[in-house]
Structure formats: C-alpha cells, structure tokens
Amino acid sequence: MHHHPPASLAAVILSSLPFLLTGPPVTAHNITTILATFPDFSTFNHYLTITHLANEINTRNTITVCAVNNAAMSDLVNKHLSVYAMKNVLSLHVLLDYFGAKKLHEITNGNALTATMFQATGTPSGSSGFVNITDLKGGKVGFGSIDSGKTDATFVKTLHENAYNISVIHISSVLQSSEAEAPTSGPAVVNIISLMSTHGCKNFADALLASDAVNTYTGNIEGGLTIFCPKDDAFKQFQPKFKNLTVGGKQSLLEYHGVPVYQSLSMLRSSNGLMNTLATDGASKYDFTVQNDGQDVTIMTSIVTSRIVGTLTDKQPLVIFTIDKVLMPKELFKKVVSLAPVPAPEADAPTTSETPKSLKNKHKSPPAPASLESPADAPNDASADQEADSNNVVEIKGFKIGAMVLSFWFAYLVM
C-alpha cells in the first residue's frame, strides 16, 4: 500500500523546487564598504578603488579577497608601480573561488591551486596567475603565487564572510609575482584637448590649454577622470565673466569641471549627492550636487544648474560629458538678488482700518524673482519706484490731515 504525502506537504515541496534547483539568492556585496569598517586596511581599500578593481570585484560571485593591512602594503606602495601594474598585483589577491575559514583548514590533500582575477585577464603566461594554498604545520595556512614558487603569506583571520558569495580574509603579506609587477602599458593616452575641440567644446578646450589646469587634467587620467565640458555656445556667453577672473580663479573654475574618479552616466544616475572636483581643497570647497530626473542628469551649484547633453567618450578610466551651461562655483561667484521696492515707513502708514483706494492694486504683479544677473545687466527701474513711493506718502499724509480737520470740526459743533 502506497502512502501519499498530505496535500499541504506536497505544496511546500513544490514551492521549494525553484530554491532547491537554483540555490539561495545571491546577495550583492560592496568590497569598499566591507573594508571601510577595518581602518587598518585603508591603503589596500584605497588602491582597490583607484585601480577600479573594486568595481570588478563587486560584479563577481564566489570569490575570496586576500586583503593585507597598511603595514604590509607599505613595501608595495614604495615600489611606485604604475596604476596598471598595481591593478595586476592586487588582482592576484582576488581568488576565483570561495575560501571561508573552515574551508581553508579542510583543504583536500593539504594544498589547492586556484585561479585569480589576474589570471583571468589573460596577461600572465602559463600558470603565473594562479595561487597555491597550503595546509602548513601547526594549523597554519600558507599562500604563494606559482610565479614566486614559495609561501609568501599566511592566513591571519577572517574579516567578512557571506557563504559561497564572498569571503574577505586577512593574509600576512603581499603575494609576490614578477609578472604582475612588470611594467604594463595602459591604454593610449587620449588627447583630451583635441577630442573636445573637434566635438563642439573648442572654447573650453582653448581656455584649458592656456591654463595650468591642463596638467591637473592629464595627471588624473590614469587614476580615473570625469570631465563636464561646456558646449561652445555656453562658454561663449560666459566669456566676459571668465575674463574678469584672476589667473588662479580661472584655473579653479576649469578644474571645477573635472572629477578625479571615473563616473559613467549610469553611475551618476545611481550616486546622486555632493561630489568633489579637481578644484576641491578641503571639506565643502568647490563641490557640486549631482541629481537625476529619470534619464536626465543635472549638475547643480548654488549659482547655476547645468544638464548633461551628450557624451564625447566613455572608456574607463576616462569619460567626457558635454553640458549646456558653465558650472559656476560659489567660491568665485555670488548670487545677486534683485530686491523688491521698499515699503513706506510705518510712521506714515494709514491709522484707519481701511486702505486708501490709491494704495490698492499698486502692484498688480508679484515681486520680481531673484536674479543671477549682475546689477549692471538688470533694468534700472529705481527712479520709477521712488516716484511711486513718494506719491503714496503724499496721499497717506493728505488722508491723515483731512481726518484731523474733520475731528476738530466735529468737536466744535458738539461744544
């Protein structure tokens, strides 16, 4: 006789089939956020960011990051590797398999050979991009690149584990690899001046070329650079204000249009908020706010709001956007507000509850809004306003004098 499971149990089993077949849902991780809670790993975290390796780690699942602390990173930093060679070395520390603390101490046959993100790039020859993990005496676990042929570091402790998704562990030293440290030629340096000049931003490019700001721009390309380039019409309208700036002011304004990290359009849409620029020197200096409205992205200063209208190039680590207005920082420009006419002094105000007819409907339209233009650019209506105010005072005084005469005449009749 066959026994069938209750209907409710069968329903539970059927509802669990997708989970059983596909496994638990993958939880997104952010290696920068994880390491930010461990100040002693700030140098390692910093170089993951500027080499853009952090972004690549965040898109992968089932990985192990072998982090080294600030003291261990000092020897590597002192080698002054290019940003590309540094990325190769750090890629060697990202294993393409999950190794939590338990798995490390249960390595089959005492050792395991695992591929790394460096090997996945196709740059290393042979097996140079692999790391050997060895179960050592005394319960220690060793790590060494195949390139070095020896144990370079040992397991210290676990920093973060999200089972079978990401493991972040502390190892004692940087893994050695002559291939990873070898000089690496990065992508061809883009001539940003030529690119902007031939794509509708010649005025801005010419101003940049004539300033020391151009060195700031080119010096930041390798580590990541985002440029917001005003279109020719926008910069032409701004030219009179630009000419009035000092040499230092011009350089600051030009550097204000660059951000020292790579930010694609999709990244800008998902990272609204304050952003530092190449001109930033200290907190709350020369920053602006990024805000998106659907697919549109705007750059807002306290003086002007500009919109991204196009992309000249987007090839990591460089992206150049075109914008429809020149970005004006509050450190160089002040918002000038057009004031409404000043009302008559209270001493001359009517004493009765009713308002004289001549004062009603005096201003049929609301006060003028705040203006960004300089006083010299605004229409001069001061004389007309002053004349109107003078007439109001005369009428008010006449009303008060008339009331006084009537009150005396009434008193005389009563007597």
Side-chain angles (χ1 to χ4, degrees):
M1 181 175 179
H2 297 287
H3 296 280
H4 297 285
S8 59
L9 178 58
V12 171
I13 293 173
L14 288 173
S15 65
S16 301
L17 277 176
F19 178 84
L20 296 173
L21 293 174
T22 61
V26 175
T27 303
H29 53 258
N30 186 313
I31 186 60
T32 303
T33 302
I34 292 170
L35 288 175
T37 61
F38 302 96
D40 198 31
F41 293 82
S42 59
T43 303
F44 185 83
N45 199 13
H46 168 72
Y47 281 100
L48 287 184
T49 300
I50 68 171
T51 60
H52 306 292
L53 190 57
N55 294 336
E56 296 176 28
I57 291 173
N58 294 339
T59 61
R60 287 182 175 268
N61 298 312
T62 317
I63 61 169
T64 301
V65 179
C66 302
V68 294
N69 63 19
N70 295 343
M73 278 292 292
S74 60
D75 289 339
L76 179 62
V77 173
N78 289 335
K79 291 182 179 180
H80 303 291
L81 302 177
S82 72
V83 68
Y84 308 106
M86 179 65 79
K87 183 176 183 179
N88 286 341
V89 173
L90 296 184
S91 296
L92 190 67
H93 292 69
V94 183
L95 314 181
L96 302 182
D97 198 355
Y98 181 86
F99 289 95
K102 184 178 179 181
K103 184 176 178 179
L104 285 173
H105 290 288
E106 296 176 351
I107 296 175
T108 306
N109 299 324
N111 63 74
L113 192 65
T114 181
T116 67
M117 286 187 71
F118 179 45
Q119 182 271 335
T121 64
T123 301
S125 58
S127 58
S128 294
F130 287 81
V131 166
N132 192 31
I133 305 174
T134 309
D135 186 9
L136 304 173
K137 293 180 180 180
K140 291 185 176 182
V141 178
F143 295 80
S145 71
I146 296 298
D147 192 10
S148 71
K150 58 184 178 65
T151 298
D152 300 317
T154 56
F155 171 72
V156 179
K157 62 182 179 181
T158 297
L159 300 178
H160 175 86
E161 285 190 17
N162 185 359
Y164 306 107
N165 180 17
I166 182 172
S167 173
V168 183
I169 62 175
H170 174 196
I171 63 173
S172 60
S173 304
V174 173
L175 301 179
Q176 304 299 311
S177 171
S178 56
E179 283 214 30
E181 294 181 14
T184 305
S185 58
V189 177
V190 178
N191 187 335
I192 58 175
I193 298 299
S194 175
L195 186 61
M196 291 188 289
S197 295
T198 56
H199 290 82
C201 298
K202 188 177 186 305
N203 292 334
F204 180 80
D206 288 346
L208 188 61
L209 189 60
S211 169
D212 287 341
V214 70
N215 298 324
T216 309
Y217 273 69
T218 55
N220 277 273
I221 292 178
E222 284 191 1
L225 179 63
T226 303
I227 301 174
F228 299 96
C229 183
K231 299 283 286 183
D232 277 339
D233 287 346
F235 202 82
K236 185 178 180 180
Q237 292 178 9
F238 178 74
Q239 198 72 35
K241 292 183 176 67
F242 184 72
K243 288 181 178 178
N244 287 334
L245 294 175
T246 63
V247 172
K250 290 177 181 177
Q251 180 173 344
S252 294
L253 180 125
L254 295 170
E255 292 177 350
Y256 188 61
H257 287 73
V259 173
V261 291
Y262 169 83
Q263 291 280 337
S264 66
L265 195 57
S266 61
M267 292 169 72
L268 289 174
R269 288 181 181 133
S270 62
S271 59
N272 288 184
L274 286 177
M275 188 169 290
N276 288 340
T277 67
L278 292 174
T280 299
D281 183 13
S284 303
K285 294 291 185 180
Y286 288 100
D287 54 17
F288 51 61
T289 301
V290 176
Q291 183 66 49
N292 75 294
D293 180 12
Q295 296 299 303
D296 290 337
V297 177
T298 57
I299 312 299
M300 296 180 289
T301 78
S302 60
I303 308 298
V304 70
T305 297
S306 184
R307 185 170 59 94
I308 293 179
V309 293
T311 305
L312 296 187
T313 184
D314 184 355
K315 187 174 182 181
Q316 199 169 357
L318 173 69
V319 58
I320 303 178
F321 299 112
T322 53
I323 55 178
D324 62 356
K325 292 180 183 177
V326 174
L327 302 177
M328 298 170 63
K330 62 182 181 297
E331 289 80 4
L332 296 177
F333 301 93
K334 303 297 180 184
K335 180 185 289 189
V336 179
V337 180
S338 295
L339 300 177
V342 179
E346 286 188 14
D348 294 331
T351 56
T352 64
S353 59
E354 302 236 351
T355 303
K357 184 176 180 181
S358 58
L359 290 180
K360 293 180 181 179
N361 302 324
K362 183 62 185 174
H363 296 288
K364 295 182 181 180
S365 59
S371 171
L372 300 185
E373 297 294 332
S374 64
D377 297 329
N380 186 6
D381 293 332
S383 59
D385 288 339
Q386 290 173 1
E387 182 179 351
D389 289 340
S390 177
N391 291 337
N392 290 341
V393 173
V394 171
E395 290 178 19
I396 292 171
K397 289 182 178 178
F399 181 82
K400 291 173 69 177
I401 293 170
M404 291 176 64
V405 171
L406 286 174
S407 91
F408 280 121
W409 179 250
F410 179 75
Y412 176 77
L413 290 177
V414 170
M415 291 174 62

